[in-house]
Amino acid sequence: MSPPPCSPGPAPGFFVIAILACSRQFAAMTPLPEFERRPATALVAMANALSMGDAVPDQDLARIIRAVVTSRAERAALLAAVRASNDPDSGLTVADLLGAFAAEAGEAEAQDRDADQIIGQWAQRLAAGALLASFGAAIAGTVTGGHAFGLTLLSFSGFIFAAASRLGGKGRMRVNAKERETAETLARHVLEAARASESKE
Amino acid sequence: MGLETVIVSAIAGACTLSFAASVYLVYRARPQPETGDLEDLIQNAPYHRLHNVLKIKSS
């Protein structure tokens, strides 16, 4: 009696299909990425808390937004967090908060510019005029001796002080302008990230 | 009151005004005092509101 014929093994194609199926299953089971506690995730948390009716102090929110806006790493982390978020509305809220922050920074910048044009420029002109007048009075001999020297010194130091204070104001204006531009750009990118996360789902 | 007194007081007054304006500008441009610790703020943010939205490391 001849032995029963061996049953043929499964075709190699079967293994390929099995491996593919397993890898799909593992990919579906991949846990969601965990995010660290950092300014970017704190901002998303605050935005969600705000949308759920919690009270978040404006100062705290502004500090967190400033910390996010001024750091490249935090901006990238914010975009990643918004993209990974399961709730597309949180991206919209974050973008809105960033827009409000940009508007506030723009307002502060405009106030600084007004103060510089109305007060700073005229303080500098006044000191320059006083310097020229004291030179003129000293040369003409109307004011002599210690008075002439004192006036020249006073008006010169006033001119230097006015220039230095204007420089300080300009620096603050530049910082505000940079924060405003970065916050506006980031708000646009956050909206795009929220849209991308929505379409992914 | 001589001409010298007039000129000296006018120039000194202009300088005082200029100084006052500069002091005001410096006062405006001073950095705002920061309230609280940023690290503290980050650690105590309302992360519980991210439940089911985003996974955050527990500590």
Side-chain angles (χ1 to χ4, degrees):
Chain A
M1 195 176 163
S2 63
C6 301
S7 59
F14 172 77
F15 288 115
V16 175
I17 291 170
I19 289 169
L20 276 179
C22 284
S23 66
R24 265 186 75 92
Q25 191 66 25
F26 279 126
M29 284 164 61
T30 306
L32 284 172
E34 273 197 350
F35 287 89
E36 284 175 11
R37 294 188 171 204
R38 55 194 300 174
T41 46
L43 175 58
V44 181
M46 282 179 171
N48 262 31
L50 275 175
S51 63
M52 289 178 185
D54 286 359
V56 176
D58 283 350
Q59 278 186 337
D60 294 356
L61 196 59
R63 276 199 76 184
I64 291 285
I65 293 180
R66 192 166 289 122
V68 171
V69 162
T70 50
S71 155
R72 273 183 205 151
E74 293 305 329
R75 293 201 297 267
L78 178 68
L79 291 178
V82 168
R83 218 175 296 126
S85 153
N86 285 328
D87 181 9
D89 287 347
S90 65
L92 292 180
T93 317
V94 170
D96 184 67
L97 290 176
L98 285 170
F101 177 81
E104 276 173 22
E107 177 68 26
E109 184 194 346
Q111 279 181 0
D112 281 348
R113 187 179 301 118
D114 285 352
D116 180 66
Q117 282 179 355
I118 295 168
I119 301 172
Q121 237 172 41
W122 281 103
Q124 210 175 0
R125 285 175 187 167
L126 200 61
L131 181 63
L132 289 181
S134 58
F135 271 143
I139 290 167
T142 320
V143 182
T144 51
H147 273 159
F149 182 70
L151 275 186
T152 312
L153 200 64
L154 186 70
S155 46
F156 190 67
S157 54
F159 182 73
I160 298 289
F161 188 37
S165 68
R166 277 192 78 190
L167 269 182
K170 291 254 181 203
R172 208 174 89 128
M173 211 187 305
R174 246 195 314 275
V175 168
N176 272 329
K178 196 175 166 221
E179 278 182 357
R180 177 179 55 78
E181 280 171 16
T182 320
E184 278 172 357
T185 316
L186 188 59
R188 269 203 308 277
H189 292 171
V190 163
L191 272 184
E192 280 172 23
R195 210 170 292 145
S197 114
E198 204 174 358
S199 63
K200 186 180 68 186
E201 285 167 8
Chain B
M1 197 166 74
L3 184 63
E4 183 176 348
T5 322
V6 174
I7 289 177
V8 167
S9 45
I11 294 176
C15 285
T16 315
L17 265 179
S18 164
F19 264 110
S22 306
V23 167
Y24 173 70
L25 278 189
V26 169
Y27 175 76
R28 264 183 63 92
R30 81 198 186 288
Q32 297 292 325
E34 300 285 2
T35 50
D37 186 22
L38 182 66
E39 194 56 38
D40 219 35
L41 209 60
I42 292 166
Q43 292 303 325
N44 298 325
Y47 292 108
H48 60 278
R49 291 299 195 188
L50 289 181
H51 184 61
N52 283 340
V53 174
L54 205 64
K55 206 168 177 188
I56 301 288
K57 279 184 186 166
S58 50
S59 62

